[in-house]
Amino acid sequence: MKLWGGRFSKDSDPLMEDFHSSIFFDQRLYQEDIRGSIAHASMLGRQGIIQEKEAEAIIRGLEGILEDISLGKVEFSLGAEDIHMNVEAILTERIGDVAKKLHTGRSRNDQVATDLKLYALKEGAALQELLEELIEALSSLGEEHLETIMPGYTHLQKAQPITLGHHLLAYGEMFRRDWGRVADACRRADVMPLGSGALAGTTFPLDREYAASLLGFREITRNSLDGVSDRDYVVELLSAMSLIMVHLSRLSEEIILWSSDEFRFISLDDAYSTGSSIMPQKKNPDVAELVRGKSGRVFGHLMGSLTMLKGLPLAYNKDMQEDKEAFFDALDTVKKSLLIYPPMLLTMKVNREVMARGAAGGFTNATDAADYLAKKGLPFREAHEVIGKMVAHALEQGKALEEFTLAEFQAFSPLFQEDIYEAISLLTCVNGRKVPGGPATDRVLEHVRELKNWLKEARDGRNRR
Ligand code: ARG
C-alpha cells in the first residue's frame, strides 16, 4: 500500500514504479531527510500540534533509522519511491501508528526542498575545503618557484619572461574567486523552506523560526510558492562548479603541454601517470586529461538544470526531481578533480633549466629592449619599430638580442649603451616588473603572503555544518 494510496484503486505498473522512483539516487539525502524530520517533529511537539511524548517516540525512531542506514543495515524499497517515503515507511514499521503523525503540516515538496538545501550547504562547504587545499598547494609552489624563470605566452607564442611562481598564482586567484562564488551561493541558499507545505503553507500553527534554528538555517523563506519551487541554489552551485572545471581544465591543458617532449618543462610523478599497452616508452598525463574531459559533463549538468527549470509553472513539478542526479554527479566529478590535483602538482618535477632556456629563446626580452630606448627618451612607438627591425635581423643571423655586440646595437640606435645587456637579462626583465600584480620576485612573494593570510581567514570563517 502506497503512503498516498487512499484515492487509488489500482497498483502502479512496475514500469511506472521504475520510471518515477528516485530512491536509487536520493537515498544520498538520508541524513538531511532525517535531520529535517527530527526538527519538524520536535517543533510539532513543542507547539502542541502532536503530543510531546509522540514527538519523542518519533525522534527516537528516526535516530535509530539514521544509525541503521549509516551502518548499511537498511534496505530501501523501490515501491516507497523516494527517501522521504522510505524513511516514513520504515518508521511506521518500527514504531507503529504514531509515525503517521510525523507528516502533519508538511509536504514532500517542502521536505525535499529543505533536504536538498541542507545537502547543498554541506557540499558547498566541502567544495570550499577542497579549494582551500588546492590554493594552499599553489601558494606553496608559488613560493618555491619565485625565481624559476619561464616564458610567458600569448597566442601560445613566447611573449615575455615570467616565473613559474607568478604563473601558478594566477590559478590561485581563479580558485579564490571560485571559493567566493560558492560562499555567495551558500549564503543565498541558507534560507529554510520547511513550512511551505505543498505550495500554500499550512493551517497548523508551525513555529518555522524554531525549526530553522534547529537546522542551523539563517532565515526562513518568505513565500511558500517560492519556497517549494526554488532551485536557484542548485543552478548557482552548478555554475560555480562549472567555473571551477574551466579553471582546472585550463591548468590541465598547461600540464599536458608542459609534460610533452616538445616542452619538457615538467615531469609528472609516476603515481599520477599511466603507461601505454603497446608503446613501452609512454607516460601519459591522464589526471589532467580526465579533468579536462570531465569538465564537459559538469557544464552539461548546468545546462540541463537550467533547461529543466525554465518552463515550469509554479509551484512544484515532478520535473524537479531531475535536479538531483545532475547535482550529485557534478559534485562527485568536481570534488574528485579537486582532490587529486594538489598531490599531482606537489609531486611534479620542474625542469628549471629547460624552462629558463625556453624563456631565453623567442625574443622574450624584446619589450624590455624597446622599454630601454623609451626610457632614454625615444617615443615607445619608435622604439618598438627599432627593436622590430633588430629582431628581423637577429632572425636572419640566427641569434638572440643579447648576442649583438654593442657596435651592432648602436648601428640600430645611438641610444644603446653598455647597460643594455643588464637591461635585457632575463632576471632584470622579470624583476623590473615591480608593478603591483607583476612577476617581480618581491611582488609575487607579497602575493603568496597575502594569499596565505586569506586562506587562514577563509578557513576560520567557512560555514561549518
Ligand atoms: N522525489 C521527489 C523529488 O525529488 C520528492 C517530492 C515529490 N513530491 C510530489 N508531490 N510528488 O522531487
Side-chain angles (χ1 to χ4, degrees):
M1 175 70 170
K2 303 275 186 208
L3 290 180
W4 40 253
R7 63 103 70 210
F8 286 75
S9 50
K10 220 172 143 187
D11 281 345
S12 298
D13 184 322
L15 281 176
M16 171 63 186
E17 206 132 85
D18 179 59
F19 188 67
H20 87 132
S21 290
S22 53
I23 186 64
F24 287 128
F25 49 86
D26 66 15
Q27 52 183 274
R28 256 200 217 224
L29 299 175
Y30 80 91
Q31 288 174 325
E32 286 70 27
D33 191 69
I34 293 176
R35 268 186 75 200
S37 288
I38 289 176
H40 184 64
S42 356
M43 183 275 294
L44 291 178
R46 192 168 184 259
Q47 293 296 96
I49 299 169
I50 63 176
Q51 292 172 22
E52 286 277 10
K53 65 174 196 312
E54 293 172 327
E56 280 160 25
I58 290 173
I59 292 167
R60 240 176 295 118
L62 287 167
E63 284 168 351
I65 298 173
L66 180 62
E67 173 156 359
D68 289 349
I69 298 177
S70 49
L71 295 174
K73 288 201 214 153
V74 170
E75 224 177 282
F76 294 114
S77 121
L78 188 69
E81 265 179 62
D82 55 25
I83 186 62
H84 326 294
M85 293 203 297
N86 265 274
V87 170
E88 197 180 323
I90 298 164
L91 186 68
T92 313
E93 249 170 57
R94 293 189 176 190
I95 68 168
D97 280 352
V98 61
K100 296 180 180 169
K101 297 200 171 182
L102 168 62
H103 212 49
T104 311
R106 186 177 73 168
S107 154
R108 267 188 301 155
N109 298 348
D110 59 345
Q111 188 177 357
V112 71
T114 304
D115 293 2
L116 196 60
K117 266 195 171 169
L118 285 171
Y119 185 81
L121 291 168
K122 177 175 82 181
E123 292 297 303
L127 283 172
Q128 288 179 299
E129 202 174 333
L130 288 163
L131 285 165
E132 290 156 16
E133 297 295 316
L134 179 54
I135 294 168
E136 174 151 36
L138 288 165
S139 53
S140 68
L141 284 170
E143 187 161 16
E144 192 181 326
H145 292 289
L146 287 174
E147 291 178 346
T148 305
I149 294 191
M150 67 174 276
Y153 295 83
T154 62
H155 314 268
L156 202 56
Q157 307 280 322
K158 284 179 190 171
Q160 291 171 349
I162 54 170
T163 64
L164 180 60
H166 188 232
H167 194 107
L168 291 176
L169 282 172
Y171 287 98
E173 286 303 300
M174 296 177 222
F175 294 119
R176 165 160 47 187
R177 289 194 295 275
D178 290 329
W179 190 100
R181 271 184 279 271
V182 173
D184 279 353
C186 288
R187 192 173 39 74
R188 265 186 300 280
D190 200 357
V191 187
M192 187 192 75
L194 193 62
S196 300
L199 73 162
T202 174
T203 54
F204 289 100
L206 307 186
D207 184 348
R208 298 187 61 207
E209 297 285 357
Y210 177 67
S213 73
L214 294 179
L215 292 173
F217 278 105
R218 248 183 346 124
E219 2 169 19
I220 59 173
T221 51
R222 286 173 282 273
N223 178 291
S224 60
L225 295 167
D226 182 50
V228 291
S229 62
D230 169 31
R231 294 294 183 275
D232 291 3
Y233 58 98
V234 172
V235 172
E236 285 191 48
L237 283 168
L238 284 170
S239 160
M241 286 192 275
S242 295
L243 272 170
I244 293 173
M245 290 308 281
V246 167
H247 299 147
L248 282 176
S249 187
R250 292 182 78 169
L251 180 53
S252 294
E253 176 66 15
E254 309 218 73
I255 298 286
I256 294 162
L257 282 172
W258 293 352
S259 54
S260 70
D261 192 51
E262 284 69 20
F263 276 79
R264 288 192 298 113
F265 283 2
I266 57 167
S267 39
L268 294 172
D269 194 82
D270 282 0
Y272 302 98
S273 314
T274 62
S276 154
S277 59
I278 176 170
M279 297 169 283
Q281 84 285 11
K282 289 298 286 285
K283 184 170 150 186
N284 298 324
D286 289 36
V287 169
E289 291 172 281
L290 276 171
V291 168
R292 189 177 59 182
K294 283 174 188 293
S295 59
R297 64 202 274 171
V298 179
F299 309 160
H301 292 317
L302 169 62
M303 198 44 64
S305 300
L306 287 167
T307 311
M308 178 276 284
L309 286 167
K310 76 162 179 74
L312 297 185
L314 294 180
Y316 177 83
N317 299 267
K318 187 78 169 225
D319 312 45
M320 289 160 72
Q321 180 167 288
E322 289 289 308
D323 57 7
K324 282 170 229 44
E325 282 168 291
F327 191 42
F328 296 162
D329 184 68
L331 281 165
D332 291 345
T333 306
V334 176
K335 283 167 68 185
K336 277 188 193 166
S337 304
L338 285 171
L339 188 63
I340 198 162
Y341 238 88
M344 182 191 70
L345 290 176
L346 291 167
T347 53
M348 73 185 178
K349 210 175 115 293
V350 174
N351 304 323
R352 294 172 198 249
E353 301 72 38
V354 180
M355 278 195 168
R357 227 179 301 133
F363 304 98
T364 58
N365 53 3
T367 312
D368 295 81
D371 287 350
Y372 173 91
L373 292 177
K375 284 173 193 162
K376 301 242 163 171
L378 197 65
F380 181 77
R381 207 31 77 211
E382 282 173 40
H384 186 291
E385 172 85 18
V386 171
I387 305 299
K389 291 209 167 94
M390 287 188 71
V391 167
H393 182 71
L395 279 169
E396 272 168 25
Q397 311 259 307
K399 60 183 182 186
L401 291 179
E402 58 275 22
E403 287 165 351
F404 281 49
T405 63
L406 187 56
E408 284 173 311
F409 268 113
Q410 288 172 340
F412 284 90
S413 166
L415 293 172
F416 283 119
Q417 301 296 318
E418 191 59 41
D419 59 353
I420 178 63
Y421 295 103
E422 171 63 20
I424 63 172
S425 85
L426 289 181
L427 217 55
T428 315
C429 298
V430 169
N431 283 330
R433 292 183 153 70
K434 289 190 203 306
V435 67
T441 308
D442 292 350
R443 285 301 189 188
V444 179
L445 184 60
E446 268 169 35
H447 186 188
V448 167
R449 294 202 174 118
E450 183 275 332
L451 196 54
K452 285 186 172 172
N453 284 335
W454 174 85
L455 202 52
K456 211 183 145 318
E457 274 173 36
R459 281 183 167 136
D460 292 345
R462 174 166 25 90
N463 182 0
R464 276 172 228 279
R465 283 179 174 258

